[in-house]
Amino acid sequence: GESVGLHLPTLSVQEGDNSIINCAYSNSASDYFIWYKQESGKGPQFIIDIRSNMDKRQGQRVTVLLNKTVKHLSLQIAATQPGDSAVYFCAVYALGGYQKVTFGIGTKLQVIP
Amino acid sequence: EPEVTQTPSHQVTQMGQEVILRCVPISNHLYFYWYRQILGQKVEFLVSFYNNEISEKSEIFDDQFSVERPDGSNFTLKIRSTKLEDSAMYFCASSEGARRTEAFFGQGTRLTVV
């Protein structure tokens, strides 16, 4: 079956430091790997995704790394800010007949000012 | 910035009652979705909708659930006879194209079944 899991339920980071949030997945047939941010009282917000044929993708202050060999995904946030405090979900999406997005449990990022 | 809006923000209903959760997707989007998140658990896919029909649904989306786009702007999720285990946050999402990774989510409706 499909499972997406996160290594740490809570991550505390000093403001200005870099954050690394990790995720493991089980379905090697996944085509896209996605990171969402969910602030309190809001719905998930797309941050960045990476296709399975890539191993690194950069956005604004964020970098996603994909290691398909060990089925591991990470989100790096540079110079973490208080506004980055939220729950971060990794998710996978497989093209084909069943195109659902499967979410992980979530990691809560707490930024210490 | 355009956004997906959901009403109500919180709905309390008695077990066995019907509820309708409402969503207004982003106006130029063509693909619509419902997800749910039971407190403390993962966000789970329920259903996707395109061209006025369900394009995909999960095993959670049984005969008690239905979706409808009654007009050009609203997208609704109906639960016919609510159960205690239907208590969750329900998120509507929409996307311009079929690529689900770029879906925009609403703020959610918290459904409490008592």
Side-chain angles (χ1 to χ4, degrees), chain B residues 10-11 13 19 79 82 86-90 109-113:
Chain B
H10 191 189
Q11 173 91 44
T13 188
V19 294
I79 309 174
T82 50
D86 292 327
S87 295
M89 185 74 94
Y90 287 80
T109 292
R110 180 169 296 285
L111 177 65
T112 302
V113 183

Side-chain angles (χ1 to χ4, degrees), chain A residues 89 105-106, chain B residues 37-43 110:
Chain A
F89 296 93
I105 295 172
Chain B
Q37 184 179 28
I38 296 172
L39 186 64
Q41 297 187 26
K42 295 188 269 188
V43 176
R110 180 169 296 285

Side-chain angles (χ1 to χ4, degrees), chain B:
Chain B
E1 185 177 320
E3 59 181 13
V4 176
T5 57
Q6 290 184 243
T7 55
S9 57
H10 191 189
Q11 173 91 44
V12 181
T13 188
Q14 288 207 321
M15 190 170 56
Q17 294 296 303
E18 174 184 286
V19 294
I20 297 176
L21 309 182
R22 303 181 191 278
C23 170
V24 179
I26 294 172
S27 61
N28 64 332
H29 285 186
L30 301 176
Y31 296 80
F32 314 111
Y33 318 92
W34 283 101
Y35 289 82
R36 80 172 186 189
Q37 184 179 28
I38 296 172
L39 186 64
Q41 297 187 26
K42 295 188 269 188
V43 176
E44 300 172 293
F45 170 79
L46 292 178
V47 66
S48 60
F49 191 87
Y50 169 71
N51 200 27
N52 284 320
E53 62 182 20
I54 291 173
S55 52
E56 195 164 10
K57 59 183 180 179
S58 72
E59 57 275 8
I60 302 169
F61 194 89
D62 61 21
D63 292 344
Q64 292 300 309
F65 291 88
S66 62
V67 289
E68 193 177 31
R69 188 154 164 82
D71 52 44
S73 60
N74 290 285
F75 180 51
T76 62
L77 174 69
K78 181 192 290 187
I79 309 174
R80 288 190 184 81
S81 178
T82 50
K83 303 186 284 289
L84 294 176
E85 53 266 37
D86 292 327
S87 295
M89 185 74 94
Y90 287 80
F91 293 106
C92 172
S94 68
S95 63
E96 190 173 357
R99 187 172 165 190
R100 307 258 171 105
T101 63
E102 295 175 348
F104 289 78
F105 283 75
Q107 81 282 11
T109 292
R110 180 169 296 285
L111 177 65
T112 302
V113 183
V114 296

